[in-house]
Amino acid sequence: MSYHRAIILGAVAMISLATSSWAQSTPAQANPAPGTITGTVTYRERMALPADAAIDVKLQDVSLQDAPAKTIGESVFAPAGQQVPIPFQVSYNSADINPAHTYQVRANISVNGKMMFSSTTAYPVMTKGAPSQVAIMLQQVQQPATATPAIKLRETRWELAELNGQPAAPGEGEVPHLVLRSKGKLSGWTGCNTIAGSYIVEQGALQFTPAATTMKMCPPPVMEQEQALAPR
């Protein structure tokens, strides 16, 4: 082997070793370790959850006071026939956790999109000495009362639908009715005769005083109804 050839082979070997050494020193990309928060959700009311109920548990970063909580893990599931306390598990990416931050879990139970129960207490987890397992107590959500259109007592035509447990007879010409006027006066139609009288509204109660009617005669069924409605 010539001197020059030995130098070339030695250089190639050094390059090969350097390349091999560089390849071995590159670490493999590590996958962030997953984590879990576990616990139970329950409530005090003695009522069973319907089959179509949905339980939603969220893990949130609540460190920023002037910003909305950031959800970093969530589990939505059906109780599948279970009743409270019901276990849950929320998974999260460990790379998303900052030891200096504050984390909490919250939960709610809804049926057909309408919330039935919700957590109202903060449940810290993971950091700053907080546990990774919690028992969440939910409170029943008060549903807003269904708005009912207001009906005026006065200047409203009140038609007779039933009298002494029996459906009202149609009368002659008009349906029997009353209209409460201002200043405690009333007017109406018995099904045969006009009626006039007065009324008193006091402490949520409505009281009628004896009324006067015209004296027209009508068929017996109509007259019997009139006598029951406005006795003379």
Side-chain angles (χ1 to χ4, degrees):
M1 178 183 297
S2 67
Y3 176 74
H4 293 290
R5 183 179 179 186
I7 292 176
I8 293 171
L9 289 175
V12 170
M14 290 177 64
I15 293 173
S16 176
L17 287 173
T19 303
S20 176
S21 176
W22 175 260
Q24 291 175 359
S25 65
T26 303
Q29 184 66 35
N31 293 322
T36 58
I37 298 296
T38 60
T40 58
V41 293
T42 189
Y43 50 79
R44 293 188 176 89
E45 287 74 11
R46 294 185 178 181
M47 58 183 294
L49 286 177
D52 54 351
I55 302 173
D56 185 1
V57 184
K58 293 180 180 179
L59 170 63
Q60 296 182 320
D61 186 337
V62 295
S63 303
L64 300 178
Q65 299 297 323
D66 55 349
K70 179 183 178 182
T71 299
I72 60 173
E74 183 174 14
S75 177
V76 181
F77 60 97
Q82 297 183 87
Q83 298 301 326
V84 295
I86 300 173
F88 71 84
Q89 177 176 302
V90 179
S91 299
Y92 61 89
N93 191 327
S94 298
D96 295 332
I97 305 302
N98 185 333
H101 285 198
T102 301
Y103 300 90
Q104 295 177 358
V105 288
R106 56 173 299 181
N108 64 66
I109 300 176
S110 59
V111 176
N112 295 326
K114 181 180 295 185
M115 194 174 298
M116 291 181 60
F117 296 93
S118 181
S119 55
T120 57
T121 303
Y123 292 90
V125 291
M126 294 190 300
T127 59
K128 303 179 182 180
S132 294
Q133 185 173 14
V134 290
I136 304 176
M137 179 63 70
L138 305 182
Q139 302 294 326
Q140 189 170 19
V141 176
Q142 298 298 321
Q143 300 297 334
T146 303
T148 303
I151 300 175
K152 292 196 309 178
L153 181 65
R154 296 180 175 87
E155 302 304 329
T156 297
R157 178 183 168 116
W158 299 91
E159 295 186 347
L160 183 65
E162 183 180 295
L163 185 62
N164 295 332
Q166 299 297 321
E172 292 194 344
E174 279 191 87
V175 176
H177 65 272
L178 290 176
V179 179
L180 306 183
R181 306 296 183 182
S182 61
K183 299 181 180 179
K185 301 299 181 182
L186 66 84
S187 63
W189 175 256
T190 67
C192 179
N193 288 282
T194 57
I195 183 172
S198 59
Y199 65 94
I200 300 171
V201 177
E202 191 174 73
Q203 296 181 350
L206 177 62
Q207 179 182 354
F208 295 99
T209 60
T213 67
T214 55
M215 302 299 290
K216 176 184 175 182
M217 297 299 293
C218 295
V222 178
M223 294 303 297
E224 291 172 4
Q225 177 172 274
E226 179 183 278
Q227 184 65 23
L229 179 62
R232 296 172 184 171

